[in-house]
Structure formats: C-alpha cells, structure tokens
Amino acid sequence: MFSSFSFGELGTRGLPIDVANRLRRGQIRGTIEQMRVMLLGNTLFAPALSMNAWGQGRDGLVVLWTVAIVLFSWWIFYSWTTYYQTTGSEKDMRGFVIQTFFNSLFWTTGMALFYPVASGDQKAIITAIMAGSLALGTTGFSHAPWAGMTYLAVQTVGNALVALICGLTLGSSTDFLIFVLMIAAGVSLFNATLEGAKAARVAFNNHERLSEKSEVVELLLKDYEEQATEWLWQTDKNGHLLSAPAQVLEMCASQGGQTDSIDLVELLAANCTKAAEEDIRQLQQAFADKAEFHDVRLSIQSPVDGELRWILMKGRPQFERGAFQGFRGIFADATAAVVAERKVQFLASFDGLTALLNRNSIQKKLSELQADDHYAVALLVDLDGFKQVNDSYGHHIGDLLLKKVAERLQENTSENTWVARLGGDEFLVMMNRDEPISAAEISWTAQSICERVSQLAKVEDFVVQVSASIGVSRFPEDTRQGLELLSMSDMALYEAKNAGRDRITYFNAEIQNRLSERNTVIDRLKRAVRNGEIEPHYQSQHVLSDGRLTGFEALARWDDEVLGAVRPDVFISIAEQTGLIVELGEHLLRRACEDATQWAELMPKAPPVVSVNISPVQFARTDVTGLVSRVLHETGLPPELLEVEVTEGVLIASREKIAATLQELSELGVSIALDDFGTGYSSLSYLKDLPLNRLKIDQSFVKDLSRTASNPIVSTIVQLGHNLGLNVIAEGVEDQTDVDLLAELECDDGQGYLYSRAMTKEATSRYIAEIALQASQQ
C-alpha cells in the first residue's frame, strides 16, 4: 500500500479513503494537543510585542491588535476542540489550514504595523518576539505538515518583506541583516518541518502495516479458536474448573459457560453416555489419586443438536513446592476419528450402500462351516436388466434400486439366513441350518426371491423392473469346503444366464465340467489370438443363373494343438464375451484384405469380392469406419472389393450409431450385406433406412426348400430384397435342385457345399487360378 515518497506525497495522494482519513485525523489531533503551548505563546508574546510598540504614535492600533490576536487565539483554540472529533475529511483539513493561515497573518500584521516605527532595542525585541512566534508556531503545527508550512510561509515571507522594505526606505543595514536572518530562519525551519513530516509519514506507514498484520494475526487466532479440536482446561485443588473451553461447556449444558464452582468430574459424569462409564471411573480414580491420565474417551450427547460427540481427555496434576494445586490438561475433539474408525469397522464387514454383509463377512462365515454338523445352501442372485436401468436412468437410480432389492431379499428371512451383497448387482442369500435342508424349502426360497425381485419398483419418479437369475449350491452335498460354495453357485449362475436368464439353476458336476472346458478354451483362445493362430478360410459365392464366381466369404477357423479343431460357434461367442473379438476381428479383416488383393491380380477382369463379418462387439468398442479405412489403405485393396457383413442383432443396441457407421462405410465404397435375414429382429424400417447392398437368406430356410418348392419365406425375402433394389444371396446351397428352385424364385446368388467348402488361402488361390484358366481358354 505504501512506498517511498517525495515531497508531493506528504499528503494523502494514492491512499485509500479510509487510510487517508486516518492520516488527516491523526495530524489534526496531534496539532490540537500542542495548542496549549501555542496559546500560552500568543498570550505572552502579543503583549510583549505591544509594550515595545507603545508610545510610537500607534497606541490605538497596539491595543486593538493585542486584543484581537489574543481573542482570536483563544477562539481558534476552542473551535479546534470540535475538530478533535473529526473523521479526517478533506473539508476539515482545509478549514484547519485556513485558520492556521489567519493565525500567522495576525502576527505578520503586527510586524508590519509596529516594526517600522520602532527603533534601537525595541526593533531588536520585536524581531526576537517574531522569531519566537515563528519557531513556536512551526513546532505547534509540526503534526500537520500543510498547516505548519502555511504558517511558516506566511510569517517568513511577510516578516522578511517588512524588514526589506524598511531597509530600502531607511537605508538601515540592520534591517537588511534582519531580512537575511528571517529568510535563513524560515529556510531552516522549513527543512526541519519537512523532515519531521517525512518521519511522521514513515511512522504512520509502519503503523498501518503493523495494524494490517495485527488484524490478520487476530483473524487467524480467532479462526484457530473456532476451528481447533484441542482445548486447554484447568482445575483447582478441589477439582473445580478454573478454565475450560466453551465448546465442551456447551456440550455439557453448563449454564452460560460459567466455570465457577463446577466440579469437572461431576459435570462430565452427568453428561456422558453409559458407554463412557468405565472411562468416568478411570477419571474419578485419577483425580482421587492425583495421578496423571491419558486417552480417557468420553461420549456425550450434545444438547445443541442431539449429535453424539466424543472427547479425548488427558491431564496432569500440578504441584508447587510439594503442595497439590490442581489438574491441568487437554480436551481433544475425537468425534471425526471415532466416526472414521467405526466406519472402517463397518465397511470391513458390511456393504456401504445396502448395509448387508459384504463378501469378506460371507467368506469368513463360509470358512467356518463344518461338514459334520452344518448344512447350508448358497443362492447367488444376479439382477437381469440392471445395466439397462443404470444406462437409462443413471447410477443414482441404480443405487436406489439395489437398496430396494436388498430390502426385498431380507423379507421373510429367518434368523439362520444371511443376506449379503457381493458387489455390483450380485447378492447372496445363505441358508444355514444344523439339519438337512429339504429340496422343497430350497426351491420355495429361490422362487420367492425371483418373485419379490421381479416386482415393479418405484424409485423416485421412475417405475423400474428387473428379474433375477439364481445359481444354487449346497453344503455338504456339492462340496465339503465352505468357501467353494461361492464358486459353485457362480458356475450355476453362469448357466442360468446362458440359458436365457430369469431362471434358477442348481450346481452339478456336468456344469463344472462344461465350465472347466470353457476356461480351457478361453486360455487357449487368448494364446491363439495373441499369436495369430486363427486364420480365415474362404467359401465361394456364385451367380445362380450361370455359376459365375462373384466372391468369397471369410470364415474364421481355429485348429488348436491341444483342443484340436474348435467350432466357430464356440470360440466366436467366447471371443465376444471376453472382448477378444476386437483383436481377432481386426486380424481376420486384415488377412482377408491382403488375400483379396492377391486374387485381384489373378482375375483382373472380374476380381472377386471378399465378404467379412463384423461383430456387434466391434461396433460397440471400436471405430469400425476408421479400422476399415486404415486396413484398406495399408493393404491397397480397392473398397469395392470388400463387403462388410452385419447381423440383425447389431442394430438392437444402438441403432442410430450403427446406422451412422454403416453410412460412413458405404461412403468409403464398401458394400454392406445383412446376414441371416429373417432369423433375428427383422424390421422393414431398417431395411429402407440403412445403406444395404445385399440380403443373405439363412441356410435354415434353404435346407427345406426341396420339400416345399413354393417356400413362402424365401420367396418373400427375394421379392422384398428386389423391391428395395438389393441383391439376394442364399446360404446352404448343396445340390443342383437347390440351385434350380432358388433360380425359379429369382434369387440372385448362392453359396454352399455345391460350389465349395471353406478353403484355406492356398486352396482358394488355386481355385481362382483354375477358374481364370478356364475363362482364358473359352
């Protein structure tokens, strides 16, 4: 706020208004406090000057001037008492300086009236009196620099001019000398006044800085007192409080916070809860024994807000010359620490959202099961459709739904039935008995859970519904190791999910075998994908009317050294469930495009199109357009030689997103085929909205075609495709009869064993070379 200043900054320039007011108020008050000295000087000096001017022919002026200056001096003295209450405004300072000006003008007038008519010693005395008045006034106005300099300037200039004029008129060298002395005295006093003003300003600046720091320190101390969690207390030798923190007295409902005659132990004992009885006894014993104590934890129900608070207390006896004087110690607010400790203890055993047992608690209980005298059933419950609730209404609604499900699972549970939340939307209901549990009771409990969970639930402003899939395992029938119940129930739950959800599945050895096999497939599949062991095989596609080759469909094939040949319907579904399909799909697309590039060189006049399936998981997890564009660029395959196959199921999850992606692919020049039309979620709306080029008739419709020549489904699909301007290809063409019947129904193309089985890249290249050779010989 303050910096080094020049003469022009002795005033209030650059200061905030409140600081400037404080500076002016201090200057005015400091000057007024010196007015007694100045009043005494005016009262004595004025008559003294008058006496030396008496008898020089101006006695009337002498009397008039003397009376006027004395009365004026007393008047301004009394008027300045009102200024003492000033706020330090600029107006008050201007008035103060103006009065100072007239005060000094009175003295200069006296000099002008009486000095010219005086002579000899009288002139010397008058000069001395004026010098004394000048010095006394300057000293008196030293607290207010502008007032002091005004007083000094008027007297110095006025008195010096009087002496100079007299010297010029009378030719007296003494007058010239007095003129010089007056100027010298004025300059000297001016410098002294200026230095004093600077010193005063520095002192004021330092005081302001100190005040600012003091205010900050005071605020910090006050904030600390309000926010502190530790407070001092002290008692006399009788245990009566000498001092105590207001926070503790408020919790103990002490009247008005008074500490006089309050017994500390009695006060705490009267306000603590029963849980603190043992600590109170410890405290009483320490006071009786005059012994030091630590970590006495007291719980108090606050009368202010009814909340439970914890105070940690420690104290030490005080002795002076061997005489006991009382106790002194510290109260510490341990509420936050106790709450955190209890929360940690709670979360160690219970679920934070539903307050059910958590996985740790269940595992502990399972580990304690004894096969000789315990019977237990684990019902692992997983909510069907919970992800859609989260996606549609948000996780807040999902959490509230989980709490409702927890409440429903606890309904009608017996004392020996545990309910736990294992995580996410997975719950466990554990039936624990000391005698065998009947199949009827297990079935009734599981059915009851399914019914309660599937009831409509009102969650805030929404009505939501989910169902439950349950996996059941029994102890000791299925296992004699309690901890294995969870994994067995999980296996059964997996089967329930795969079987269509909203059902109950009991664990058996066959399930375990299937899951073991599946786990083996997953492990080998990860290795195969990582090493690129899954290769595309190709099945040819032909025009039905003349058998002309149009392209190939890339089909994934996996021959594992441990598992042997694994069916595509097995490893493709596992790859989709585990997310491996993303890496696998990119590998197959790249290989197919590389192979198709070579085949285009073998048949340059009519290069075959390669058709590659894109999984719904790929659409959901990757940028399919970016992937296809990148692979085409890197392999050099023209976009018109690539066909992307999608199934109807890909449109269900996010139709708008998929439609946009297919439009982008179409704009790249890639053809798009809808695979297995009629077997999934057929809808005419997406047939007209999507940029499709071809419909594929599923082989399940083609295999019975010979027995129903006028098959209405195949005929309808063909006509529908043609009406929409789409090419139609039939899968599963196995003999010439199929060709004839499909051609009769005006189907365009065919694919199946009649033409070729799925071939390796090398066999496909030879197949193309033979066709190219035959074409060249015709």
Side-chain angles (χ1 to χ4, degrees), residues 415-545:
E415 182 179 351
N416 294 325
T417 300
W418 310 320
V419 181
R421 180 182 176 224
L422 304 184
D425 61 338
E426 197 170 71
F427 297 84
L428 181 75
V429 177
M430 190 77 187
M431 303 169 64
N432 184 33
R433 305 284 191 275
D434 55 6
E435 58 185 17
I437 305 172
S438 67
E441 183 181 359
I442 297 172
S443 176
W444 180 88
T445 302
Q447 290 290 349
S448 178
I449 291 173
C450 287
E451 291 173 3
R452 288 199 298 269
V453 169
S454 63
Q455 292 173 0
L456 292 174
K458 181 75 163 59
V459 183
E460 290 191 347
D461 297 331
F462 305 99
V463 177
V464 297
Q465 185 177 30
V466 292
S467 59
S469 295
I470 301 178
V472 183
S473 63
R474 297 167 297 172
F475 178 91
E477 291 86 349
D478 295 328
T479 177
R480 299 178 67 84
Q481 299 295 323
L483 286 174
E484 290 184 354
L485 280 177
L486 278 181
S487 60
M488 290 179 173
S489 296
D490 190 55
M491 294 179 196
L493 176 63
Y494 179 81
E495 287 290 314
K497 288 282 191 181
N498 278 350
R501 306 189 176 196
D502 190 18
R503 62 187 60 216
I504 302 164
T505 302
Y506 290 80
F507 173 82
N508 55 47
E510 185 180 348
I511 289 176
Q512 188 167 19
N513 291 336
R514 284 199 300 269
L515 287 177
S516 296
E517 292 174 1
R518 182 177 186 274
N519 290 334
T520 301
V521 172
I522 291 175
D523 291 339
R524 298 298 300 175
L525 181 61
K526 289 179 180 178
R527 179 180 179 276
V529 171
R530 184 173 60 250
N531 297 333
E533 296 175 3
I534 299 177
E535 298 291 340
H537 285 202
Y538 303 95
Q539 188 173 38
S540 61
Q541 298 174 337
H542 299 261
V543 178
L544 290 173
S545 60

Side-chain angles (χ1 to χ4, degrees), residues 230-234 241 243-250 259 331:
E230 292 188 354
W231 315 283
L232 297 174
W233 59 268
Q234 186 175 1
L241 279 173
S243 63
Q247 293 89 338
V248 175
L249 294 179
E250 288 176 1
T259 60
F331 282 120

Side-chain angles (χ1 to χ4, degrees), residues 600-607:
E601 296 176 357
L602 295 176
M603 292 184 65
K605 293 183 179 180

Side-chain angles (χ1 to χ4, degrees), residues 379-420:
L379 297 95
L380 189 59
V381 182
D382 188 85
L383 303 184
D384 304 323
F386 180 72
K387 182 179 183 300
Q388 285 80 1
V389 172
N390 265 343
D391 293 343
S392 301
Y393 305 111
H395 290 275
H396 171 64
I397 298 299
D399 287 346
L400 294 179
L401 177 60
L402 290 176
K403 295 176 73 172
K404 282 189 174 293
V405 170
E407 294 171 2
R408 291 177 177 180
L409 290 177
Q410 293 181 95
E411 294 174 0
N412 303 322
T413 56
S414 65
E415 182 179 351
N416 294 325
T417 300
W418 310 320
V419 181

